[in-house]
């Protein structure tokens, strides 16, 4: 079992721009250059018009909690140490059909088990913050807006 | 074309336990031999094989151990527990069309060892769509399903009691089945409600067992089925299912995440069938996690969207209720072998030999795992 957080690969040309924007503290989404449809997670082709051409558009960084859970052991060691913690899914204000997995925190670099679990509710407005994990990985997280 | 053209005529199982000594290959051979003996068919006649992926036992190993001759159809179906009914469907198609004549579907797994937990093998760097969920601590299937259940409770007012109804039904059925892990371990609602969380809102008893074992079934065309020793379970209709914009277990990105893969399997299965949900006397619904039951009750048309929780009330899922489910105890209380024991139990219900036999069980629905790309099969007498 790995001892650290499972990290995303950030050097795949397909979604490297998402991770590069995250390192700059910006939330971006893949957008079809031909028809404007947004899509997440990133993929090569637009499902609406089948174009391979896309760009990366910035998002407002605002959303609402769509759902949440609190994992308890048995877990990977790095998560077992801080369990229970929260995992949330956020639906974006810019486009509620886009949903992203994240954590609710009180501060960008704070622990993911800090927010009082009894206060977490579906529908709560949130905004994005960014947490640097290492040289190439910065993770989007969320604070109550 | 396929309707009632083939039947399951043999079923075989190893013991279900933790830490079984034989290898998965040996367990597969035990189960397949038992199924062939049950069907009264020699292994040299088998020419179609299908199983799941995430399976260490490959077709050529099974074939050379059992002394099979030419195999002219073989497939492995993906997506873990979503595969079982599809493997049956694949072989049914091969046999119905004459590409092959006698098929075997098996599943062999030693999953009781905690080191075998698939989620625990995650790599330090994640390269596929999981990179958008695992780094934040959404790592296990139970976490992924719990996320849907929380949303479902919010949208429809379902409660923990609804999940307890599922857990208790499966446990009560297991308490009648000497082969079940939980045969002599009754469960009370109190115990359910006070159990530890695994991924809140899901507790210990919302999760399936961790087991070792193997099972197999034998499938032939209808004209041969009549010659076999036991009543045949005819394959009336089946389908695989993958809905629009689906994303595997983490199906949070489609237009309606609450209508996942099972809805596609159900639509297409019922489209082919002469039977309707009201004709189903008993159902074996994939139960890696209790919420999958209310989700599937809706997907397969037993109630309207959002009514799955309420459907479980008043003992509906128990023997004597409106739709008994998982009558050997299921993945929750018999054994967890990726739902293959739901298929064999479906056959037993059709034969009339279940330890929790539903009177006049002439139609049985069996489903494979939901949320993954999935499958389902409708068996009839």
């Amino acid at each position: 079992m790995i001892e650290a957080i499972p990290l995303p690969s950030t050097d795949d040309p397909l979604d490297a721009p998402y991770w590069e924007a995250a390192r700059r503290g910006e939330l971006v989404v893949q957008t079809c250059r031909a028809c404007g449809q947004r899509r997440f997670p990133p993929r090569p082709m637009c499902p609406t018009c089948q174009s391979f051409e896309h760009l990366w558009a910035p998002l407002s960084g605002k959303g609402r909690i769509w759902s949440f859970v609190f994992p308890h052991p048995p877990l990977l060691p790095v998560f077992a140490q801080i369990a229970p913690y929260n995992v949330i899914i956020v639906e974006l204000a810019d486009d509620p059909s886009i949903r992203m997995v994240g954590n609710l925190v009180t501060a960008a670099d704070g622990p993911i088990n800090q927010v009082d679990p009894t206060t977490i509710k579906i529908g709560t407005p949130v905004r994005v913050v960014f947490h640097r994990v290492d040289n190439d990985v910065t993770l989007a997280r969320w604070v109550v807006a | 074309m396929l309707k009632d053209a083939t039947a399951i005529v043999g079923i075989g199982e190893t013991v279900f336990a933790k830490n079984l000594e034989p290898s998965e290959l040996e367990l597969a051979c035990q189960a397949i031999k038992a199924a062939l003996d049950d069907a009264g068919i020699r292994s040299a006649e088998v020419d179609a094989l299908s199983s799941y992926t995430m399976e260490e036992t490959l077709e050529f190993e099974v074939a050379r151990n059992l002394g099979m001759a030419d195999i002219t159809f073989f497939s492995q179906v993906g997506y873990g527990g979503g595969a079982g009914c599809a493997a049956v469907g694949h072989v049914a198609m091969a046999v119905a069309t004459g590409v092959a004549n006698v098929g075997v579907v098996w599943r062999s797994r030693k999953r009781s060892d905690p080191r075998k937990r698939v989620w625990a093998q995650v790599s330090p760097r994640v390269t596929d769509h999981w990179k958008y969920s695992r780094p934040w601590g959404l790592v296990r299937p139970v976490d992924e399903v719990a996320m849907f259940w929380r949303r479902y409770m919010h949208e429809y007012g379902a409660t923990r009691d609804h999940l307890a109804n599922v857990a208790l039904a499966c446990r009560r059925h297991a308490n009648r089945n000497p082969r079940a892990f939980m045969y002599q371990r009754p469960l009370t609602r109190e115990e359910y409600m006070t159990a530890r969380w695994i991924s809140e809102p899901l507790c210990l008893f919302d999760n399936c067992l961790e087991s070792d074992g193997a099972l197999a079934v034998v499938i032939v065309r209808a004209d041969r089925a009549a010659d076999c020793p036991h009543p045949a379970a005819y394959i009336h209709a089946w389908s695989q299912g993958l809905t629009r914009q689906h994303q595997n277990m983490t199906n949070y990105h489609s237009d309606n995440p609450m209508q996942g893969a099972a809805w596609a399997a159900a639509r297409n299965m019922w489209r082919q069938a002469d039977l309707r949900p009201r004709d189903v006397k008993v159902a074996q619904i994939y139960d890696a996690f209790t919420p999958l039951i209310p989700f599937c009750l809706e997907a397969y048309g037993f109630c309207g969207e959002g009514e799955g929780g309420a459907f479980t009330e008043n003992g509906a899922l128990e023997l004597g209720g409106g739709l008994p489910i998982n009558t050997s105890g299921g993945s929750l209380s018999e054994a967890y072998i990726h739902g293959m024991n739901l298929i064999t139990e479906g056959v037993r219900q059709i034969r009339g030999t279940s330890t929790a036999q539903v009177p006049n069980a002439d139609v049985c629905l069996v489903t494979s795992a939901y949320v993954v790309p999935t499958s389902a099969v409708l068996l009839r007498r």
Side-chain angles (χ1 to χ4, degrees):
Chain A
M1 260 193 277
I2 57 172
E3 292 296 321
I5 291 175
L7 294 178
S9 66
T10 61
D11 57 356
D12 181 342
L14 175 67
D15 67 350
Y18 170 90
W19 300 104
E20 190 271 329
R23 287 193 291 273
R24 286 187 287 105
E26 187 175 34
L27 192 65
V28 298
V29 72
Q30 198 182 21
T31 305
C32 179
R33 206 182 275 277
C35 77
Q37 183 71 42
R38 296 175 170 115
R39 59 190 191 254
F40 181 83
R43 66 202 77 156
M45 179 187 268
C46 173
T48 301
C49 73
Q50 290 82 50
S51 169
F52 290 106
E53 304 297 314
H54 60 266
L55 52 92
W56 294 86
L59 293 162
S60 68
K62 299 197 172 89
R64 290 182 178 278
I65 296 179
W66 185 83
S67 190
F68 59 94
V69 297
F70 304 108
H72 290 242
L75 291 162
L76 294 175
V78 67
F79 292 118
Q81 287 163 28
I82 55 166
Y85 55 93
N86 74 70
V87 185
I88 66 172
I89 289 183
V90 174
E91 58 178 1
L92 299 188
D94 313 59
D95 186 344
S97 69
I98 299 204
R99 303 180 192 95
M100 297 183 171
V101 175
N103 304 114
L104 192 67
V105 291
T106 49
D109 299 313
I112 62 175
N113 60 4
Q114 186 156 55
V115 175
D116 177 354
T118 65
T119 65
I120 302 181
K121 302 273 181 270
I122 289 175
T124 299
V126 293
R127 64 176 174 82
V128 74
V129 295
F130 290 90
H131 166 65
R132 182 184 179 282
V133 176
D134 69 10
N135 286 341
D136 64 302
V137 180
T138 292
L139 296 180
R141 290 169 160 191
W142 304 87
V143 294
V144 173
Chain B
M1 258 189 294
L2 196 65
K3 196 182 303 180
D4 304 330
T6 64
I8 299 176
V9 293
I11 58 176
E13 303 179 349
T14 63
V15 68
F16 303 136
K18 288 196 183 274
N19 304 314
L20 288 179
E21 204 184 302
S23 65
E24 288 187 358
L25 170 58
E26 186 171 342
L27 293 172
C29 292
Q30 287 178 19
I32 296 170
K33 177 170 178 10
L36 288 167
D37 289 346
D38 188 59
I41 292 176
R42 294 175 304 114
S43 61
E45 292 194 70
V46 176
D47 55 4
L49 296 172
S50 187
S51 188
Y52 303 49
T53 58
M54 296 167 62
E55 165 85 29
E56 288 178 13
T57 303
L58 300 178
E59 298 91 342
F60 77 88
E61 290 283 20
V62 160
R64 71 177 175 179
N65 273 273
L66 278 142
M68 295 175 182
D70 281 359
I71 306 295
T72 55
F73 173 88
F74 42 96
S75 74
Q76 283 195 344
V77 187
Y79 304 105
C85 295
V88 167
H90 283 205
V91 164
M93 289 194 301
V95 161
T97 57
V99 169
N101 300 296
V102 178
V104 165
V105 174
W106 84 91
R107 180 55 162 176
S108 178
R109 201 114 183 285
K110 290 172 69 171
R111 174 65 180 75
S112 64
D113 184 340
R115 289 170 297 181
K116 290 292 198 71
R117 290 169 177 159
V118 178
W119 56 263
Q121 327 295 337
V122 65
S123 306
R125 284 279 172 160
V126 183
T127 55
D128 48 17
H129 73 81
W130 305 109
K131 72 165 82 168
Y132 291 101
S133 52
R134 291 185 171 151
W136 290 271
L138 197 76
V139 176
R140 308 165 300 179
V142 64
D143 305 311
E144 296 161 338
V145 171
M147 197 66 88
F148 286 109
W149 179 251
R150 172 85 68 189
R151 180 72 193 183
Y152 182 92
M153 288 196 290
H154 170 81
E155 290 195 14
Y156 299 117
T159 68
R160 293 196 70 206
D161 267 302
H162 294 134
L163 296 185
N165 294 339
V166 174
L168 292 169
C170 292
R171 183 61 64 99
R172 284 174 185 153
H173 296 153
N175 292 156
R176 302 168 65 110
N177 174 10
R179 296 170 37 73
F181 264 51
M182 295 299 173
Y183 173 50
Q184 292 176 315
R185 311 251 306 260
L187 178 67
T188 65
R189 190 173 295 266
E190 178 88 26
E191 286 168 329
Y192 173 91
M193 288 299 179
T194 55
R196 65 186 169 94
W197 296 118
I198 301 294
S199 189
E200 190 191 338
L202 298 182
C203 74
L204 178 66
F205 297 115
D206 292 312
N207 286 261
C208 62
L209 301 167
E210 296 182 295
S211 320
D212 293 356
L215 306 95
V217 299
V218 180
I219 296 165
V220 296
R221 281 188 294 278
D223 56 4
R224 179 153 187 190
D227 298 333
C228 294
H230 302 291
Y234 291 92
I235 294 164
H236 180 70
W238 80 280
S239 185
Q240 286 178 270
L242 175 58
T243 40
R244 192 171 178 279
Q245 294 298 300
H246 203 282
Q247 180 180 280
N248 211 344
M249 283 292 304
T250 47
N251 187 36
Y252 308 125
H253 309 290
S254 58
D255 285 342
N256 185 354
M258 306 312 292
Q259 281 196 14
W263 290 76
R267 276 189 282 269
N268 193 52
M269 188 194 76
W270 291 121
R271 177 187 62 77
Q272 301 169 66
D274 295 334
L275 302 166
R276 288 290 164 262
R278 64 172 175 269
D279 299 312
V280 175
K281 306 297 194 306
V282 57
Q284 314 297 334
I285 301 180
Y286 196 93
D287 57 342
F289 309 104
T290 51
L292 305 187
I293 277 62
F295 295 163
C296 284
L297 290 169
E298 297 175 14
Y300 289 93
F302 296 108
C303 59
E305 200 174 355
E307 297 174 352
F311 189 100
T312 71
E313 293 167 4
N314 303 311
L317 306 180
E318 299 183 28
L319 198 59
L323 184 69
I325 64 156
N326 302 8
T327 45
S328 59
S331 314
L332 289 165
S333 287
E334 180 184 31
Y336 175 55
I337 322 280
H338 269 160
M340 195 71 199
N341 56 320
L342 297 174
I343 296 173
T344 54
E345 176 65 7
V347 173
R348 270 190 224 98
Q349 283 287 343
I350 297 294
R351 290 178 176 184
T353 61
S354 169
T355 47
Q357 183 62 44
V358 173
N360 190 32
D362 55 347
V363 181
C364 179
L365 171 70
V366 187
T367 81
S368 290
Y370 180 62
V371 182
V372 286
T374 191
S375 54
V377 63
L378 203 55
L379 300 175
R380 74 180 310 174
R381 195 183 296 155

